Amino acid sequence: MAVNAVLKQRMADLGLTQEELANRMNAALLEITGRPGDVSDRTVRNLVNGTTRRPIGRTRRALEAVFHCPLKDLGFAVPAERSEGPVERRHFITASTALALAPNSGSPRRVGTSDVERLQRRFAEVIANDHRHGGRLAIERTAVVLADEALVLQGSGSAGQRVRKQIYASAAAFRSSAMWAAVDGRRFDDAAAHMQVAVQLAEMAGDPYIKFRIWSHAGTMYRHMGRPADAAAANDVARKLGITRQDPMFASLGLARQGAIHGAAGDGAAARRAFDQSQDAMQRADPAAARPVWMNAFYDQAELDSLALCAYLSLGDFERAEAHGHRCLSALRPHMQRSKAIATTRVARAQLEQGALETAVARAMSVPGEAANRHPRVVGMLRAFGRRLEVIAPGSAAARTWATYIRDTWRSYA
């Protein structure tokens, strides 16, 4: 049994340990096949020590994607070729190009903290764009491209273990943003696919903050899909991470989202208890503590009240919902344009259910046109508002005003 000296040297050229190569191969398989890889340290050890001389199937595809070369150039005996269909071949070529990990010639460059900082700046841009627009397919696609760029960076040169993990964390963060954009845009199948990739990348990174974001988003995704039991289970994964004990602000967010899930499930007592606990945790949190950019960008008192507004609206407690809605709108930061449109629409619905027809219609018509016409979640809520208005007060002056608004301003979505 002879050691595969070629593979060993290629790993040394990239500064890869056996564990790091296994992680890279799993990431490649996730991109190529859409399914998590199961390559272990032992798999790589067998490849290096010569126990495995003819890797086939998923192992072969992962190796060729990671090193960006045919199997024979890695010191292996090449198994008999099989034909591949054009779609499969195109998929593999695209994925292996995106995950190219080594230049064709010369010494690999050093990947360092400046590269990580550049990724983090791009992530901040994605976050800002999401808060302005939300739910756009363009945001989702941009986040996916940036996640792929982060994985390409993994292979563009040598790097220390800390930098490697930070790059995986960046890739997971971008994928979690793609997931959220898909949730916000009501593209739930796409959101679930992004979640699968994000979870595995986060595990490779070992970053509890991005794990919290992914699983917390998953809870929201399932809540919007009408699956409160799955929502609670996913949100519990986030809430059980150690950072919720270290920083009460994360505990507050987990509890607030749990309150919204209880509201969707119709459990008013549990919702009220969760929001009380969330408020208490927020008051105990240190406002100056260091937190990820995505957390600082959105979670505050306004977001807690927004989640309470959603929960109490689901529970039919419209007076309490409206009160939280006004608190939310008064505290929202200027960049939270998507959140403002959603909260405004929900307040209008709470007012409508209390019989304040003219006030409710005026509030609904105040939603900015871009959100009213282009944000899938807001569009759906405004449609539901109009249907409910026709049930409560058919033929009323308020209903006629709304109909005119729909016809003249919102015609393409009526």
Side-chain angles (χ1 to χ4, degrees):
M1 181 169 66
V3 171
N4 187 330
V6 177
L7 177 62
K8 190 173 181 180
Q9 183 59 52
R10 292 298 294 268
M11 290 172 62
D13 290 342
L14 293 178
L16 292 176
T17 65
Q18 292 182 3
E19 178 185 5
E20 289 169 338
L21 177 54
N23 288 340
R24 298 249 189 124
M25 291 172 70
N26 284 327
L29 287 171
L30 197 58
E31 286 293 325
I32 295 168
T33 69
R35 291 181 292 148
D38 57 0
V39 179
S40 65
D41 294 358
R42 182 176 181 180
T43 303
V44 174
R45 185 164 60 252
N46 288 340
L47 292 168
V48 173
N49 66 23
T51 301
T52 302
R53 298 182 57 204
R54 293 174 178 265
I56 61 174
R58 286 162 61 86
T59 303
R60 175 181 180 175
R61 298 178 74 187
L63 283 167
E64 291 180 334
V66 167
F67 291 101
H68 199 44
C69 66
L71 195 65
K72 62 182 179 63
D73 292 346
L74 296 173
F76 293 105
V78 180
E81 296 289 341
R82 66 174 182 86
S83 61
E84 291 180 328
V87 173
E88 182 180 2
R89 186 180 304 111
R90 185 166 60 250
H91 187 190
F92 174 74
I93 291 171
T94 301
S96 61
T97 299
L99 290 165
L101 294 178
N104 290 326
S105 62
S107 301
R109 73 182 185 88
R110 184 74 177 173
V111 179
T113 56
S114 62
D115 297 292
V116 174
E117 290 168 356
R118 178 180 58 81
L119 289 173
Q120 291 172 342
R121 287 193 297 271
R122 298 302 305 273
F123 182 56
E125 292 170 5
V126 170
I127 294 295
N129 201 25
D130 175 69
H131 287 312
R132 283 193 300 271
H133 305 295
R136 300 281 180 84
L137 186 58
I139 296 174
E140 178 185 349
R141 289 174 173 169
T142 297
V144 170
V145 168
L146 289 169
D148 289 345
E149 286 185 8
L151 292 176
V152 170
L153 182 62
Q154 283 281 25
S156 66
S158 62
Q161 181 72 359
R162 180 172 175 270
V163 169
R164 293 283 184 211
K165 286 183 176 295
Q166 289 176 324
I167 294 174
Y168 277 124
S170 293
F174 286 126
R175 277 288 187 167
S176 70
S177 284
M179 172 191 174
W180 178 247
V183 170
D184 209 23
R186 293 301 189 257
R187 299 180 295 275
F188 294 121
D189 287 346
D190 293 338
H194 292 311
M195 174 189 167
Q196 184 182 39
V197 178
V199 165
Q200 184 157 348
L201 290 170
E203 287 297 325
M204 293 177 185
D207 186 329
Y209 296 100
I210 198 60
K211 289 181 186 179
F212 181 96
R213 187 178 196 235
I214 293 164
W215 284 106
S216 187
H217 279 345
T220 302
M221 176 182 73
Y222 289 126
R223 172 167 60 85
H224 286 305
M225 293 171 71
R227 295 163 55 179
D230 291 333
N235 196 56
D236 278 345
V237 176
R239 291 178 58 210
K240 289 177 181 176
L241 291 168
I243 57 173
T244 63
R245 294 185 294 276
Q246 298 163 12
D247 186 345
M249 190 64 84
F250 285 92
S252 176
L253 175 56
L255 285 161
R257 285 183 164 161
Q258 198 76 358
I261 293 166
H262 288 314
D267 191 338
R272 287 187 290 274
R273 183 167 58 252
F275 285 118
D276 286 345
Q277 292 171 345
S278 175
Q279 190 69 65
D280 177 69
M282 178 174 284
Q283 290 170 351
R284 288 186 285 107
D286 178 2
R291 298 184 179 96
V293 62
W294 58 264
M295 185 69 162
N296 289 331
F298 94 103
Y299 190 61
D300 54 14
Q301 183 64 54
E303 179 63 18
L304 195 162
D305 282 309
S306 176
L307 288 164
L309 162 62
C310 175
Y312 291 122
L313 200 58
S314 297
L315 290 164
D317 189 344
F318 302 118
E319 184 176 354
R320 194 189 299 260
E322 183 183 1
H324 280 285
H326 288 305
R327 285 181 60 184
C328 169
L329 289 170
S330 67
L332 274 173
R333 287 171 278 176
H335 71 274
M336 303 291 284
Q337 296 175 31
R338 182 267 315 278
S339 296
K340 181 178 180 180
I342 291 172
T344 299
T345 306
R346 286 175 172 158
V347 168
R349 180 62 180 270
Q351 292 170 331
L352 176 64
E353 296 293 347
Q354 294 176 83
L357 304 184
E358 290 77 12
T359 302
V361 168
R363 175 77 64 173
M365 290 170 58
S366 73
V367 175
E370 182 178 4
N373 286 275
R374 299 188 64 185
H375 190 286
R377 189 147 45 123
V378 176
V379 169
M381 289 192 295
L382 288 175
R383 283 176 171 168
F385 175 89
R387 289 193 297 268
R388 184 61 178 155
L389 176 59
E390 282 298 322
V391 170
I392 292 174
S396 65
R400 291 194 299 272
T401 299
W402 181 253
T404 300
Y405 168 74
I406 291 293
R407 184 182 65 247
D408 296 343
T409 309
W410 203 45
R411 185 181 311 229
S412 62
Y413 289 86

